[in-house]
Amino acid sequence: MAKQPSYRSLVKKATAKARFLANPEAAKSKNKKILQSKANKMSNSMTSPEEVFANILKEIGVKYETQKVIGTKIFDFFIPHKNMIVEVDGDYWHANPLVYENKELNKTQTRNVKNDKFKEVLARGYGYVLERVWEYDLNNNYKKEKDRFKKLLK
């Protein structure tokens, strides 16, 4: 059986690939309509961590959009007045480094880690600020996350 690549090597490869492939012209592709349709459907069914984060934004009075299409990807939250994208990541599905840094990842986690790094480079390439929020932090450090976003979104 082949050895699984490490978390760090996955991040390095995904980042390099994203830099190479991130191209603003991709947003003009014919797949844009399909992607927007998928985003619209996703807006109606938030994950539990996304619901918790949406609650934080409501509590601090921030206007936001969900499931923002940028280039070839869909992002969880867009905060227009700060040109900020927020990705809310589940600990298991996105392999929270606090839990999975030195553990072997399954195929889904490996794919998601690569996709997350690609999305990070893509968003920054389009000029957005990107913040990540982990499920663990929403569940265990709610006030800390709320305070962090209060400061970021002044």
Side-chain angles (χ1 to χ4, degrees), residues 16-71:
K17 182 179 178 184
R19 284 191 179 118
F20 176 74
L21 295 175
N23 177 354
E25 294 302 313
K28 296 177 184 175
S29 74
K30 63 183 176 183
N31 293 328
K32 180 89 172 171
K33 288 180 184 177
I34 295 168
L35 201 57
Q36 189 60 56
S37 174
K38 184 177 178 183
N40 292 343
K41 289 177 187 172
M42 291 170 66
S43 287
N44 297 325
S45 58
M46 283 190 196
T47 65
S48 177
E50 288 172 347
E51 288 175 357
V52 173
F53 185 72
N55 197 43
I56 286 176
L57 294 177
K58 288 174 190 169
E59 287 177 10
I60 60 178
V62 173
K63 292 183 181 180
Y64 63 91
E65 299 172 21
T66 59
Q67 307 308 323
K68 173 81 170 166
V69 174
I70 300 171

Side-chain angles (χ1 to χ4, degrees), residues 30-149:
K30 63 183 176 183
N31 293 328
K32 180 89 172 171
K33 288 180 184 177
I34 295 168
L35 201 57
Q36 189 60 56
S37 174
K38 184 177 178 183
N40 292 343
K41 289 177 187 172
M42 291 170 66
S43 287
N44 297 325
S45 58
M46 283 190 196
T47 65
S48 177
E50 288 172 347
E51 288 175 357
V52 173
F53 185 72
N55 197 43
I56 286 176
L57 294 177
K58 288 174 190 169
E59 287 177 10
I60 60 178
V62 173
K63 292 183 181 180
Y64 63 91
E65 299 172 21
T66 59
Q67 307 308 323
K68 173 81 170 166
V69 174
I70 300 171
T72 59
K73 296 293 179 181
I74 301 170
F75 293 80
D76 296 332
F77 292 87
F78 173 57
I79 301 164
H81 82 278
K82 289 291 186 175
N83 202 40
M84 181 184 288
I85 298 295
V86 180
E87 285 285 277
V88 179
D89 293 333
D91 294 332
Y92 174 78
W93 298 108
H94 295 268
N96 184 341
L98 286 175
V99 179
Y100 292 94
E101 180 75 41
N102 295 314
K103 294 183 181 175
E104 190 172 309
L105 305 181
N106 65 37
K107 287 181 182 180
T108 301
Q109 290 168 319
T110 299
R111 184 191 72 229
N112 287 341
V113 167
K114 289 177 182 179
N115 188 54
D116 291 344
K117 292 304 168 188
F118 178 85
K119 288 173 78 173
E120 198 170 298
V121 173
L122 182 70
R124 290 194 173 123
Y126 276 91
Y128 294 96
V129 174
L130 186 128
E131 290 291 327
R132 290 200 174 274
V133 180
W134 287 101
E135 177 183 17
Y136 175 89
D137 293 318
L138 291 171
N139 292 336
N140 297 290
N141 302 310
Y142 184 88
K143 184 176 178 346
K144 184 178 175 184
E145 286 301 305
K146 183 177 175 179
D147 291 343
R148 176 168 82 102
F149 277 91

